[in-house]
Structures are given as C-alpha cells and as structure tokens.
Amino acid sequence: HVQLVESGGGSMRAGGSLRLSCTASEFTFEGSDMAWFRQSPGKEREAVAAIRRDDLTAYTDSVKGRFTISKDNAGNSLFLQMSNLKPEDTAMYYCAASASFILTPRFYRLESSEYPYRGQGTQVTVS
C-alpha cells in the first residue's frame, strides 16, 4: 500500500521561507515522476512543481523563481523549497507521484491526473 507523507508546513510571514518534505512507503522515488500540488478552500487543486525521473522540472508561473523542487533518491525524499512566500501561497500542499513515465508535453501541462498517488497534505499559511 503506497503512502506518501508530507511534512514541513507551518505559518510564515510574507517574504519568509519554508521547506516541504515528502517521504514514502511502498514506493521508490528513483525512477518515478513526482510533483507538488496545492489547494486552498474554495479553489481547485493546482500543480505547483514537478520533477521527472530524468530530473526535468516544471513550475507553475506563479512560483517560478521562488520555489525549487528537488529529490533525494538515496533518501527516498522529495522537497519543495519555498522562498519569498506570499499570502496567495496559503494552501494545503500535497506530494504526488507517478510510477509511469510522463511524456514531455504532458509533463509540462502539470495535470494532477498524471499522478495517481497523493499524500494527505501539509498546511502552509502565509500572512
């Protein structure tokens, strides 16, 4: 049974930084495509960033230059370094994974349907 577990969320003043982490059981990050999504009340879930097994990365426009996605295959961990946080970044952040390779055009579309495994989320609040 695949379980993804996020951590590192919290409350932060605008302009601050947070680092989210994601670990997994029954799933190996190496050789997988991974992503971070977020959802705030009343809004649809949106992709934040993704990293493919070949280290190709993609970001939604609103976080480019502020967020960095990375992974540690040896530690089976996924990270999201968030800097210059803004109130509009407030949301529940979810780690997501795909064992199937996502072709480049679809990878850049950052669609949640491509990632069947998701965690329970970690809350980020920016004031």
Side-chain angles (χ1 to χ4, degrees):
H1 176 62
V2 175
Q3 272 194 311
L4 303 177
V5 180
E6 303 91 342
S7 62
S11 297
M12 179 61 61
R13 291 285 184 96
S17 299
L18 278 174
R19 189 192 196 206
L20 305 184
S21 300
C22 174
T23 58
S25 59
E26 306 296 331
F27 191 87
T28 302
F29 285 12
E30 186 173 14
S32 302
D33 299 346
M34 310 291 300
W36 287 97
F37 291 83
R38 66 185 180 187
Q39 189 168 18
S40 51
K43 294 186 178 180
E44 291 189 2
R45 181 172 55 223
E46 67 166 340
V48 176
I51 184 166
R52 208 168 62 176
R53 63 199 66 197
D54 57 357
D55 292 330
L56 182 67
T57 59
Y59 297 90
T60 193
D61 287 344
S62 63
V63 308
K64 285 180 180 176
R66 300 190 298 121
F67 291 9
T68 302
I69 189 170
S70 63
K71 59 187 173 85
D72 174 7
N73 289 331
N76 209 40
S77 298
L78 179 73
F79 305 104
L80 184 68
Q81 179 68 47
M82 305 186 295
S83 302
N84 191 20
L85 283 163
K86 302 177 180 180
E88 51 264 42
D89 295 320
T90 295
M92 186 73 78
Y93 283 72
Y94 301 89
C95 169
S98 170
S100 301
F101 181 77
I102 302 172
L103 296 174
T104 301
R106 291 160 59 186
F107 176 77
Y108 280 116
R109 285 202 288 267
L110 292 170
E111 294 177 355
S112 62
S113 60
E114 299 286 359
Y115 302 89
Y117 302 111
R118 299 189 190 100
Q120 294 299 305
T122 185
Q123 178 68 36
V124 172
T125 302
V126 185
S127 59

